[in-house]
Amino acid sequence: MEKILKELIDYALEQGADYADIRHIELEEEEIRTEDQEVQSINNKSDKGAGIRVLVNGAWGFAATSDLDNLEQTALKAIRIAVASSKVNRNPVDLAEKEVMDDFYETPIERDPFEVPLDEKIELLLDAEEKMVEAAELFQTGGSLSFRKEKKIYCDSEGSYLVQKLYESGGGITAKAVGDDLQVRNYPCGFGGNYSKAGYEFIEELDLLGHAEEIAREAEALTEAEEIPAGKYDLVIDSSQMTLQIHESIGHPIELDRVFGSEAAFAGTSFLETEMAGEFQYGSEKVNVVADATCPGGLGSFGYDDEGVPAQKVKIIEDGILKNFLTSRETAFELDESSGGAALADGWSKLPLIRMTNINLEPGDYEFAELIAGIDYGFYLKNNRSWSIDDLRLNFQFGCEIAYEIKDGELTGRIFKNPVYTGSTPEFWRSCDGIAGEEDWQLYGVPNCGKGEPMQSGHVGHGSAPARFKNVQIGVDK
């Protein structure tokens, strides 16, 4: 394969490309879903193909094919697109310098999920559902497991040749109960559960069976719970909800193509401007955020991005001050910087876009009990249920599955249903006055971050510990 791809790159240069790269990808996926103690679906998918990207006179051209006997014709198509684009292109593309690399990277795994018997996976989900049914009066139970294996080969005209073998595993369970309304509890989080760049050992560590009874009882109890009272309260927000808070109000705004206004599909642009770096107070001095593609187990971890740039850890917010953005080679050149290694594509048939890697809120120095102890009356919120944020990523509303009452510095055991909190991004992050430590820090993976037109689905990660925010507006999600 190396000889074929390198010869194709040479061919593209001979035909007029100033720069060329090719990504050849082989993908294998498996998804298992159960509902009401029956198998609902087992989906297996395999796919392979190649995407060729060229620059001609400062304009991009891209073409892709699943027919590997047709690579030269695909390269010519990409060149024709680039030539046509160059005739109307007002902003010729330049690429930031990068190191030429020849390397192999593989996700560290202990147990290949595609070697685990299907019966073992199904039995795990059905056993978890049985525990939920035995623990509470439920309307519906469910579970899912998903696995992904991707072999990605990258080759470019600058001399880089990179091979990566990436594994993903994820899953979760759901309990639904009906009283006056429908109440849902998920473990470990909503929308299909948690995902990691890892093997089947990640599923075993989730301990779905060990948490089944708890979420079943909570779902049933929520049907009898009162709605959370509206008002302004101090909150402790669990990592399971912090994930989406970070994703929507930090991850998307720092994508430099959104800042430039060259990308707006699906998630809008950004309230940030490049001049804010080094000056803008994004959050309180407690808030430190990194984009870390080297984070073990992070769904946004890899060896190299889709431009051949090595994975790296970039400071995004330091002591509350905005420091950097997520960049590709093209956008980094505009800032006279090197790429942050955040150009990724959703498969071989799509162009790389700037995507989040693992956007992590670094741990603080509080014990979880200390966060709770600092609240006279407030709530501890878990698990996302809904979200809404404007096109500039400024004003948001998040709904959670459950709110635990905090009174006189202690959790009382009382729960409330349908909690919703709202805020403005900088004001909210500046109200953060405490973050729990490393022992409470958890990674969550989001396998379906939408961006671009046609839409691309990104696989990103967010790590955080529970964090405390002061005087946040609470409403009710009916």
Side-chain angles (χ1 to χ4, degrees):
M1 181 61 74
E2 181 173 357
K3 184 174 183 292
I4 293 172
L5 298 186
K6 287 185 174 179
E7 287 179 352
L8 182 75
I9 292 293
D10 290 341
Y11 178 76
L13 297 178
E14 290 168 4
Q15 296 301 313
D18 301 315
Y19 165 88
D21 61 38
I22 181 169
R23 290 173 295 110
H24 177 268
I25 294 173
E26 295 180 50
L27 178 67
E28 186 176 354
E29 294 179 313
E30 180 184 59
E31 182 185 74
I32 304 158
R33 291 190 176 277
T34 62
E35 186 177 290
D36 290 335
Q37 301 183 75
E38 293 184 356
V39 176
Q40 288 298 303
S41 62
I42 300 171
N43 293 316
N44 292 282
K45 174 186 172 185
S46 60
D47 187 25
K48 66 179 178 181
I52 301 168
R53 189 175 69 155
V54 302
L55 269 177
V56 178
N57 298 327
W60 286 118
F62 177 78
T65 180
S66 59
D67 181 0
L68 299 184
D69 294 326
N70 196 33
L71 289 175
E72 288 191 352
Q73 291 303 312
T74 306
L76 289 175
K77 183 178 180 182
I79 291 170
R80 287 197 298 271
I81 292 171
V83 169
S85 298
S86 69
K87 295 177 181 176
V88 295
N89 184 27
R90 297 178 180 176
N91 300 298
V93 172
D94 283 300
L95 301 178
E97 296 289 328
K98 72 173 177 70
E99 188 177 355
V100 174
M101 304 291 291
D102 188 334
D103 199 9
F104 172 79
Y105 172 87
E106 184 172 8
T107 305
I109 63 169
E110 297 175 13
R111 194 177 181 194
D112 186 338
F114 291 90
E115 299 295 327
V116 176
L118 180 60
D119 287 348
E120 180 178 335
K121 298 168 182 171
I122 293 172
E123 183 179 0
L124 171 63
L125 294 177
L126 295 181
D127 286 351
E129 286 201 62
E130 184 176 359
K131 281 184 172 289
M132 288 190 280
V133 169
E134 290 174 353
E137 190 71 29
L138 298 175
F139 166 71
Q140 190 178 76
T141 58
S144 65
L145 296 174
S146 295
F147 307 99
R148 179 182 174 103
K149 181 166 61 176
E150 185 178 35
K151 184 180 180 184
K152 185 186 294 188
I153 304 174
Y154 171 89
C155 181
D156 68 33
S157 57
E158 295 171 345
S160 286
Y161 186 82
L162 304 163
V163 180
Q164 298 186 84
K165 198 170 182 180
L166 307 172
Y167 289 86
E168 294 180 12
S169 296
I173 52 176
T174 301
K176 298 180 180 179
V178 174
D180 293 335
D181 56 7
L182 174 67
Q183 292 296 319
V184 181
R185 286 288 286 124
N186 291 281
Y187 174 82
C189 56
F191 307 106
N194 197 7
Y195 293 76
S196 174
K197 279 272 178 25
Y200 195 77
E201 69 278 1
F202 176 73
I203 301 300
E204 296 169 329
E205 291 164 4
L206 284 177
D207 189 16
L208 298 179
L209 297 178
H211 292 82
E213 294 178 357
E214 177 187 359
I215 65 165
R217 288 193 292 267
E218 285 189 341
E220 183 181 40
L222 280 169
T223 65
E224 303 294 329
E226 294 182 19
E227 291 186 329
I228 194 168
K232 288 195 171 183
Y233 300 97
D234 296 344
L235 304 179
V236 173
I237 301 179
D238 186 70
S239 306
S240 57
Q241 167 59 22
M242 287 299 297
T243 293
L244 205 60
Q245 182 72 57
I246 295 167
H247 182 93
E248 300 291 354
S249 67
I250 295 179
H252 279 308
I254 61 171
E255 294 168 338
L256 194 53
D257 52 356
R258 295 194 189 283
V259 175
F260 285 161
S262 56
E263 169 59 45
F266 257 85
T269 55
S270 174
F271 70 95
L272 297 174
E273 299 176 357
T274 55
E275 294 77 12
M276 291 178 170
E279 303 288 340
F280 181 65
Q281 185 186 349
Y282 210 112
S284 74
E285 62 180 14
K286 303 284 187 184
V287 176
N288 290 280
V289 175
V290 296
D292 186 4
T294 70
C295 183
L299 196 63
S301 294
F302 46 78
Y304 298 86
D305 78 353
D306 287 340
E307 293 186 320
V309 177
Q312 51 199 280
K313 183 177 182 178
V314 179
K315 284 184 180 177
I316 299 297
I317 299 172
E318 186 176 29
D319 299 331
I321 303 298
L322 175 69
K323 292 294 184 181
N324 289 295
F325 299 94
L326 294 172
T327 60
S328 61
R329 294 184 70 190
E330 178 181 346
T331 54
F333 182 87
E334 297 293 320
L335 300 184
D336 196 22
E337 297 177 355
S338 57
S339 171
L344 296 160
D346 180 11
W348 53 268
S349 63
K350 307 284 177 56
L351 268 167
L353 301 172
I354 295 178
R355 304 311 304 256
M356 298 176 222
T357 55
N358 302 296
I359 310 302
N360 298 335
L361 175 66
E362 297 204 309
D365 53 5
Y366 279 74
E367 299 283 343
F368 177 74
E370 289 180 303
L371 293 179
I372 300 296
I375 294 179
D376 293 330
Y377 191 83
F379 300 96
Y380 171 44
L381 304 184
K382 266 189 174 182
N383 275 27
N384 184 264
R385 174 172 170 149
S386 64
W387 70 93
S388 176
I389 189 165
D390 66 37
D391 282 353
L392 294 179
R393 327 305 289 175
L394 262 176
N395 300 298
F396 62 78
Q397 173 179 296
F398 288 105
C400 295
E401 290 181 1
I402 188 168
Y404 302 86
E405 184 184 53
I406 303 170
K407 192 172 184 180
D408 299 328
E410 294 182 348
L411 289 164
T412 66
R414 186 181 184 188
I415 60 174
F416 291 87
K417 66 181 179 181
N418 302 333
V420 170
Y421 66 96
T422 67
S424 173
T425 294
E427 179 185 335
F428 175 80
W429 285 104
R430 291 171 191 166
S431 76
C432 179
D433 79 334
I435 302 171
E438 198 161 344
E439 63 276 11
D440 292 307
W441 196 86
Q442 294 185 59
L443 264 171
Y444 284 87
V446 178
N448 53 0
C449 171
K451 184 176 180 179
E453 184 63 45
M455 199 272 279
Q456 298 193 33
S457 187
H459 295 226
V460 308
H462 302 294
S464 68
R468 188 172 64 204
F469 297 85
K470 307 293 285 187
N471 205 31
V472 179
Q473 180 65 48
I474 285 281
V476 176
D477 178 21
K478 290 187 177 180

